[in-house]
Amino acid sequence: MPTASDIKRASASAAAPQTRNWIAPAKVAVFIAMLYPLARIIVLGMTSGLGANPIEFLTRSTGLWTLVYLCITLAITPARRLTGVTALLRFRRMIGLYAFFFAVLHFTTYIWFDKWFDVAEMLKDIGKRPFITVGFAAFVLLIPLAVTSPKAMVRKLGRRWQTLHRTIYLIAVLAILHFWWMKAGKHDFELPKIYGAIVIALLGWRLIAWLRTRAARRRA
Ligand code: HEM
């Protein structure tokens, strides 16, 4: 999620006409491309291609794409720093909201087809199965980030907005725990290891950047 200084830089790039030339079509292209997982589910659903267990397919596909979009959201700042392309920040809110959208689809699949909207049964599951507990915590923490994503909320909350949006790192850790625990029963850690490594690298990068800024401030 963007920091206040990131937003200032993004606004500055918004003023440059050469940036404006490509940013709008690129945003439309990214918006359409990110609909791919949903389009795939719809096409497979209409052609009986969801496999022997369509509910499992839906849950897993929406869960994995939530994680992918979370990782891309977290990668925007490092990518911007490494490439110097400030305009990348203009895509972050949209990608973050896509992560939330797929998390809503993931949760809806669970509460609808797994629990048939039985809230008591769902709460029992949350208390009983640790992988559901952390998944649910990650989902609940995503809600305030989605609600406060409009620019008006960034202005209204000021520094508190930045602090709130740092929970994205905690959400990513909870998502990895959720994935890891879910796969533990099947002793299948290949994908959780890959995504775990990506999240650790992104968090590590952020930590190093923070330590460097702090040291520079002290020197100043
Ligand atoms: C940010 C929030 C979440 C993320 C990133 C996430 C991610 C994932 C991932 C990556 C998988 C495994 C996909 C695969 O097998 O390839 C998964 C599976 C699953 N998740 Fe989530 N999840 C989240 C929230 C939730 C919530 C809120 C619930 C329910 C309360 C939930 C219930 C499940 C279930 C039931 C499965 C499938 C278990 C199975 O097939 O055995 N998840 N999730």
Side-chain angles (χ1 to χ4, degrees):
M1 298 284 154
T3 62
S5 55
D6 286 342
I7 289 162
K8 263 187 226 151
R9 277 188 214 104
S11 314
S13 77
Q18 69 273 32
T19 307
R20 270 207 308 271
N21 282 346
W22 65 269
I23 207 111
K27 267 187 156 182
V28 173
V30 172
F31 182 87
I32 294 170
M34 295 189 85
L35 278 172
Y36 163 75
L38 184 61
R40 178 172 168 257
I41 287 173
I42 293 170
V43 170
L44 289 176
M46 288 187 334
T47 53
S48 314
L50 293 177
N53 189 342
I55 311 297
E56 189 180 274
F57 184 97
L58 280 182
T59 317
R60 293 193 173 178
S61 173
T62 50
L64 199 60
W65 282 102
T66 305
L67 187 55
V68 170
Y69 289 163
L70 266 178
C71 290
I72 300 177
T73 310
L74 284 175
I76 295 277
T77 300
R80 197 261 301 163
R81 293 255 168 89
L82 291 174
T83 62
V85 182
T86 310
L88 285 175
L89 298 174
R90 305 278 302 276
F91 295 81
R92 187 164 43 187
R93 185 156 49 115
M94 181 169 72
I95 302 171
L97 284 172
Y98 255 112
F100 180 67
F101 172 61
F102 275 88
V104 170
L105 291 181
H106 184 56
F107 178 66
T108 306
T109 312
Y110 165 82
I111 185 95
W112 188 348
F113 300 113
D114 201 348
K115 298 292 164 219
W116 297 103
F117 295 108
D118 186 339
V119 177
E121 190 56 39
M122 182 194 81
L123 291 175
K124 221 166 85 187
D125 208 15
I126 291 172
K128 210 170 64 189
R129 292 203 285 173
F131 98 90
I132 296 285
T133 317
V134 289
F136 189 71
F139 179 61
V140 169
L141 288 171
L142 265 180
I143 297 170
L145 303 198
V147 171
T148 57
S149 69
K151 279 180 192 151
M153 291 302 281
V154 182
R155 281 191 291 272
K156 195 172 163 193
L157 292 175
R159 285 185 76 83
R160 280 175 301 157
W161 186 92
Q162 210 172 314
T163 312
L164 173 68
H165 279 249
R166 284 203 185 112
T167 46
I168 187 86
Y169 297 104
L170 173 62
I171 293 167
V173 171
L174 291 173
I176 295 298
L177 268 180
H178 171 67
F179 198 7
W180 194 280
W181 251 325
M182 184 227 136
K183 293 287 187 184
K186 292 145 194 154
H187 302 285
D188 173 14
F189 293 109
E190 200 184 328
L191 275 182
K193 271 184 190 165
I194 294 172
Y195 283 95
I198 292 171
V199 168
I200 288 170
L202 292 167
L203 294 187
W205 184 90
R206 191 76 209 184
L207 183 68
I208 291 166
W210 178 75
L211 288 172
R212 276 190 182 159
T213 313
R214 209 174 65 144
R217 270 198 202 133
R218 281 208 178 140
R219 277 199 300 275

